[in-house]
């Protein structure tokens, strides 16, 4: 079969009907976007002569992806999260909002409501026998170099096995997730464990799609941050630990040169010991610079369904992602 029907009036009229163009109700924007996406997909079917077998296997794969709550995992793998960042970077540049620590993707594994501490937090609630102790700290400053006392820093990362609490039910609910309020000098400190990299579950729908593309589903060891303070632009970012096999080969495209940080082994770290470290630590330093903004919407993270952000979310997420 090698027919070409996309450009016929019959198909073009059909697309308009499907997208509800002849109906009064619904959303105009929704209709236009749906019409564009459907047109692109119909054309793809025509151009590549997609067979019934191929089409229905794709439907089945999407069902499996939804059942595993993995759309949020495939999304960074297909570069959408990074593409949204590229658009926000471009918008910042156009509005002359320059400087500051670069943003990078949030990813699908944030959980709202982590325990909050001032200046210092111990993050590991669960023992991690293979884990190296991490002493993580830094200073939040504005782009003129002034410290930002009281800045709110949310940090989350996985354990030495690559598992994130909440999604990995073997961990305590907020293990390795904390909110730290910066001290009078804008500084924050955390005692935790060095995270390992993350790998998309073998054989899962996301993995099947990446394999079809000849790609892997690995992320380097990384630590997620939300950083905010009044009058400054909210920052969503991550640090990527140097020396990981995947630091520059991240399936989620989140690595940025300015965000690669080298951990330093310290045998006797006085300050870490004062905060409960009982042996050598790997010290990770990450200073953060925030740009000024008067716009409320830029001072807060963008809206997005997030685990534990509201009651309805909790129940929606009852079938937690298999990530
Ligand atoms: C992660 O830990 C992550 O940060 C992203 C973006 C995707 C999968 C797992
Ligand atoms: Fe992550």
């Amino acid at each position: 079969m090698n027919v070409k029907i996309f450009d016929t009036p019959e198909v073009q009229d059909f697309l308009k009907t499907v997208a509800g163009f002849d109906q009064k109700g619904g959303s105009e924007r929704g209709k236009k976007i749906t019409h564009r996406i459907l047109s692109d997909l119909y054309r793809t079917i025509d151009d590549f002569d997609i067979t019934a077998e191929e089409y229905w296997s794709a439907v089945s794969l999407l069902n499996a992806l939804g059942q595993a709550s993995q759309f949020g995992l495939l999304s960074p793998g297909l570069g959408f999260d990074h593409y949204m960042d590229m658009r926000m970077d471009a918008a910042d540049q156009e509005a002359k909002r320059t400087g500051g620590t670069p943003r990078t993707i949030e990813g699908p594994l944030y959980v709202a409501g982590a325990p909050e501490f001032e200046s210092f937090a111990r993050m590991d609630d669960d023992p991690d026998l293979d884990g190296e102790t991490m002493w993580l700290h830094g200073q939040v400053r504005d782009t003129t170099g002034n410290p930002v006392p009281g800045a709110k820093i949310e940090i989350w990362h996985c354990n030495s096995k690559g598992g994130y609490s909440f999604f990995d039910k073997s961990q305590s609910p907020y293990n390795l997730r904390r909110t730290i309020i910066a001290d009078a000098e804008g500084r924050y400190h955390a005692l935790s464990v060095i995270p390992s990299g993350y790998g998309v579950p073998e054989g899962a729908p996301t993995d099947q799609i990446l394999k079809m593309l000849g790609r892997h589903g690995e992320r380097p060891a990384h630590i997620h941050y939300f950083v905010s303070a009044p009058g400054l632009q909210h920052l969503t970012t991550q640090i990527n630990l140097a020396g990981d096999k995947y630091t520059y080969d991240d399936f989620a495209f989140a690595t940025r040169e300015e965000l690669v940080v080298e951990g330093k082994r310290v045998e006797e770290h006085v300050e870490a010991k004062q905060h409960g470290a009982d042996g050598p630590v790997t010290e990770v330093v990450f200073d953060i610079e925030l740009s000024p903004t008067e716009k409320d919407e830029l001072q807060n993270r963008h809206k997005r369904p997030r685990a534990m952000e509201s009651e309805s979310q909790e129940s929606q997420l009852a079938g937690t992602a298999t990530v």
Side-chain angles (χ1 to χ4, degrees):
M1 191 164 62
N2 194 14
V3 297
K4 296 285 175 249
I5 63 168
F6 181 76
D7 288 318
T8 61
E10 198 185 344
V11 170
Q12 292 305 308
D13 288 347
F14 181 54
L15 273 165
K16 290 184 183 131
T17 307
V18 172
F21 280 9
D22 56 357
Q23 301 297 315
K24 282 213 181 62
S27 143
E28 283 309 309
R29 180 172 164 80
K31 289 179 188 187
K32 280 189 202 149
I33 294 170
T34 302
H35 181 263
R36 165 68 73 85
I37 294 171
L38 290 180
S39 297
D40 289 349
L41 291 175
Y42 279 31
R43 190 176 20 206
T44 303
I45 290 173
D46 219 33
D47 286 353
F48 288 85
D49 211 11
I50 304 275
T51 65
E53 189 177 326
E54 286 173 321
Y55 176 75
W56 292 108
S57 84
V59 169
S60 168
L61 187 60
L62 291 178
N63 273 337
L65 199 65
Q67 200 153 29
S69 298
Q70 283 188 358
F71 272 100
L73 182 62
L74 180 63
S75 169
L78 294 185
F80 285 103
D81 303 35
H82 183 60
Y83 183 57
M84 298 302 277
D85 276 353
M86 290 163 81
R87 287 180 42 81
M88 287 187 271
D89 286 352
D92 280 350
Q93 197 132 53
E94 197 172 275
K96 306 229 159 24
R97 290 188 296 269
T98 52
T101 303
R103 65 164 57 81
T104 197
I105 70 171
E106 172 179 333
L109 304 175
Y110 172 76
V111 180
E116 187 173 306
F117 294 85
E118 304 244 327
S119 165
F120 165 77
R122 178 155 186 158
M123 297 182 67
D124 55 322
D125 297 318
D126 297 342
D128 190 332
L129 300 176
D130 303 325
E132 257 175 81
T133 304
M134 173 167 74
W135 177 246
L136 171 66
H137 63 98
Q139 186 183 36
V140 184
R141 296 184 287 261
D142 65 22
T143 43
T144 61
N146 293 317
V148 184
K152 182 175 171 179
I153 303 137
E154 287 195 73
I155 303 175
W156 70 104
H157 64 82
C158 63
N159 64 14
S160 71
K161 306 266 187 301
Y164 280 83
S165 63
F166 185 90
F167 303 95
D168 168 8
K169 296 299 180 194
S170 76
Q171 299 183 43
S172 304
Y174 282 105
N175 192 39
L176 310 179
R177 299 177 184 276
R178 291 293 184 270
T179 298
I180 306 176
I181 305 300
D183 69 13
E185 292 175 344
R187 294 184 196 280
Y188 70 95
H189 304 82
L191 189 63
S192 197
V193 292
I194 291 281
S196 78
Y198 166 92
V200 167
E202 194 76 28
T206 303
D207 184 49
Q208 290 175 39
I209 294 167
L210 293 169
K211 288 236 163 71
M212 182 271 291
L213 299 174
R215 293 179 45 201
H216 64 72
E218 302 294 330
R219 295 213 60 204
H222 62 278
I223 301 164
H224 296 268
Y225 281 74
F226 282 151
V227 190
S228 61
L232 297 167
Q233 193 170 349
H234 178 276
L235 177 68
T236 299
T237 197
Q238 304 179 21
I239 47 180
N240 304 100
L241 299 183
D244 191 300
K245 180 174 172 207
Y246 296 104
T247 305
Y248 295 100
D249 186 19
D250 177 6
F251 101 96
F253 308 104
T255 304
R256 302 182 74 150
E257 193 59 53
E258 305 92 317
L259 302 174
V260 176
V261 174
E262 193 139 6
K264 193 177 98 200
R265 173 115 173 158
V266 182
E267 296 302 321
E268 289 282 334
H269 197 297
V270 176
E271 202 181 3
K273 284 203 161 166
Q274 283 166 354
H275 287 88
D278 60 0
V281 300
T282 300
E283 182 172 21
V284 177
V285 182
F286 185 50
D287 295 332
I288 297 145
E289 255 185 41
L290 302 179
S291 313
T293 183
E294 280 163 15
K295 294 190 169 150
D296 266 0
E297 69 272 21
L298 294 177
Q299 293 182 26
N300 296 298
R301 64 188 182 214
H302 58 255
K303 283 209 188 83
R304 166 179 173 172
R306 293 181 173 92
M308 304 301 283
E309 190 115 274
S310 68
E311 285 294 317
S312 63
Q313 272 306 307
E314 276 173 54
S315 49
Q316 269 180 44
L317 282 155
T320 305
T322 52
V323 291

